Amino acid sequence: MTKPVTQFIARQAILDASKQIFAYELLYRDSDNNAFPVGVTDEQATGRMFFNSLILVGKDKLVANHCAFINLSDTTLLQEIPRLLKPDNLVLEIVERSQNIEELLAIVKTLRKQNYKFALDDYDKDPRWEPLLPYMSYVKLELEHPILKTTTLAKKLKRLYPKLKIVVERIETYEDFNYLQQAGVDLFQGYFFAKPEMLTHGNVEPSKLVVFDLLKSTTQPNLNFKEIESKIAKDLSLTARVLKLVNAHSGLDKQEMRSISQAVVYLGEDTLRQFIRVLALSDLGVDKPSELTKFGLMRAQFMSLFLAPGGKEMAEQGYLIGLMSILGAVLDMDLNTVISEFSLDSNSSGALLNYDGLLGGALKIAMAIEENNWQAAESILAEVRPATPISSIFELAEQSRTYADDVFAVVSG
């Protein structure tokens, strides 16, 4: 019997100048050995796995209704696009592996007439790309240092093609982001929000302190419903979102809530605990890219699912550690301060600071997945839970991504 191949697509956010999500780049991934099958070309693998996943799962679901940047390396696949995908919220990336520019140009011209948009990936100033440039809506540049090289090239392209949008990839610091933003770069890709500038806890605004205090209450073994109710009542937006969550949970049988207390009781401890953590992370991160909040949700849910075989308590602990690991970046605090503020136990603090034990291993796997480093994820998995196949991790990652999209839609409205 032939072993079925797990299909998986990773995604990375592309942010605009205000650090909001503009699009996701979809990245195809292959089987559970993290390598293309023997005898299968890059183009064949792209077609089989990438498009199968797109069609089966759906583009809009994969990118949470944002714009999708899709990598392509074969003219044959480009010719199939109109049959597979509508041009709405779609950008087709012409990657550096592309050959036969003359044939490619003819297809691009045809598809542009059908309202498809194109991006040229990893532009390296090679003259062979010049015939394509007038037909591109986006050009992607990899950040070089000194950074002046990148900004000079971006400005030159903008002068030659005023309608062109410039995307810079591999941005890792706020300094680089700010410099590129001031130089007129349009879109940004990378983990620059993962290295925040250090600020003191006292810089958290009073409204954030209410949310922060609410989040701390969820670390207690038993929720104090009256305490939760009084804290929610202090903030109109919190009240509105709790009521919105009640509506979301009640489905077609809409529940009429006469008080915050009634809403809190209706939701129950488990749902309320999870909602408070998610909502707090969202609100505390209002000055950060929303993608950072989604990373927190995906990381927390992945850890919860991964640790669920160990029981409800371990799954809960995993969810909390996932959120705590991203909260430092959200609040511009180091992890030691986060651990101190939340009085985390030694197991949790060890997982956060040193990746100790199964909890720490689960966190490392979650972080490797975010970086699309499946080789590292598989290696860590072999250490902490060798009986678990990597294919099941693919499934948990996809479930976590969908969860993050769905919950974020509720709490950010």
Side-chain angles (χ1 to χ4, degrees), residues 42-294:
D42 181 44
E43 288 76 17
Q44 289 170 331
T46 305
R48 292 176 188 175
M49 301 177 191
F50 187 77
F51 279 121
N52 283 347
S53 296
L54 269 177
I55 300 305
L56 291 173
V57 179
K59 173 177 70 69
D60 291 339
K61 185 175 181 181
L62 287 169
V63 296
N65 295 312
H66 287 86
C67 183
F69 277 60
I70 296 176
N71 287 269
L72 293 170
S73 60
D74 189 345
T75 53
T76 304
L77 294 178
L78 274 172
Q79 290 170 320
E80 290 289 306
I81 282 292
R83 187 172 65 84
L84 296 169
L85 299 168
K86 295 179 180 178
D88 308 341
N89 283 332
L90 181 68
V91 177
L92 305 175
E93 286 196 38
I94 307 299
V95 300
E96 69 278 7
R97 298 184 297 278
S98 301
Q99 303 296 323
N100 198 337
I101 302 302
E102 186 176 340
E103 181 184 358
L104 188 59
L105 178 60
I107 297 172
V108 167
K109 287 180 178 179
T110 300
L111 289 179
R112 271 182 60 94
K113 292 176 182 176
Q114 299 176 44
N115 297 318
Y116 289 91
K117 293 182 178 179
F118 291 86
L120 186 58
D121 191 26
D122 290 340
Y123 177 67
D124 56 4
K125 297 182 285 187
D126 191 313
R128 76 190 188 105
W129 301 119
E130 289 181 8
L132 285 170
L133 283 172
Y135 300 95
M136 297 293 110
S137 298
Y138 305 87
V139 167
K140 300 182 79 172
L141 309 176
E142 283 202 5
L143 180 60
E144 291 186 82
H145 284 96
I147 197 170
L148 187 61
K149 289 183 179 180
T150 304
T151 55
T152 300
L153 179 55
K155 289 176 180 178
K156 179 181 178 181
L157 286 168
K158 296 279 270 188
R159 280 197 306 271
L160 294 172
Y161 309 98
K163 294 183 180 181
L164 193 65
K165 300 289 186 183
I166 303 297
V167 187
V168 175
E169 301 177 285
R170 302 189 185 281
I171 303 169
E172 296 183 354
T173 68
Y174 273 117
E175 290 77 15
D176 286 346
F177 165 74
N178 287 329
Y179 192 93
L180 292 165
Q181 182 189 43
Q182 292 169 14
V185 169
D186 301 288
L187 298 167
F188 311 84
Q189 193 169 353
Y191 293 99
F192 63 93
F193 49 80
K195 296 182 178 179
E197 300 167 4
M198 294 304 299
L199 300 175
T200 64
H201 179 238
N203 286 343
V204 181
E205 298 171 5
S207 59
K208 288 186 178 181
L209 288 175
V210 174
V211 181
F212 188 75
D213 193 33
L214 189 63
L215 179 57
K216 286 175 69 174
S217 69
T218 67
T219 63
Q220 303 305 313
N222 298 301
L223 286 184
N224 184 323
F225 279 74
K226 286 196 173 294
E227 183 180 295
I228 296 293
E229 175 193 339
S230 67
K231 290 175 181 176
I232 290 174
K234 293 177 183 178
D235 191 299
L236 181 60
S237 67
L238 285 176
T239 302
R241 291 178 187 184
V242 165
L243 296 177
K244 183 177 179 181
L245 184 68
V246 169
N247 284 335
H249 270 250
S250 60
L252 295 176
D253 182 25
K254 297 296 183 185
Q255 298 291 320
E256 292 185 1
M257 292 293 137
R258 297 181 177 84
S259 66
I260 298 173
S261 175
Q262 185 184 359
V264 167
V265 171
Y266 174 82
L267 289 173
E269 181 164 334
D270 288 347
T271 300
L272 192 62
R273 186 189 299 275
Q274 186 182 56
F275 173 71
I276 288 170
R277 292 171 179 173
V278 170
L279 180 59
L281 184 59
S282 175
D283 270 20
L284 289 169
V286 293
D287 298 325
K288 299 290 180 182
S290 57
E291 183 66 7
L292 182 56
T293 303
K294 281 194 179 182

Side-chain angles (χ1 to χ4, degrees), residues 306-368:
F306 180 79
L307 296 166
K312 182 179 178 181
E313 185 177 343
M314 177 163 277
E316 277 282 328
Q317 191 175 13
Y319 192 98
L320 182 62
I321 289 171
L323 287 188
M324 294 297 104
S325 68
I326 212 81
L327 191 61
V330 171
L331 290 176
D332 297 317
M333 297 163 64
D334 61 46
L335 279 177
N336 282 303
T337 304
V338 171
I339 289 168
S340 174
E341 286 288 338
F342 284 81
S343 304
L344 297 181
D345 62 24
S346 58
N347 287 338
S348 297
S349 59
L352 281 168
L353 293 175
N354 305 313
Y355 305 109
D356 291 341
L358 182 58
L359 290 167
L363 178 58
K364 285 175 71 176
I365 292 173
M367 294 171 73

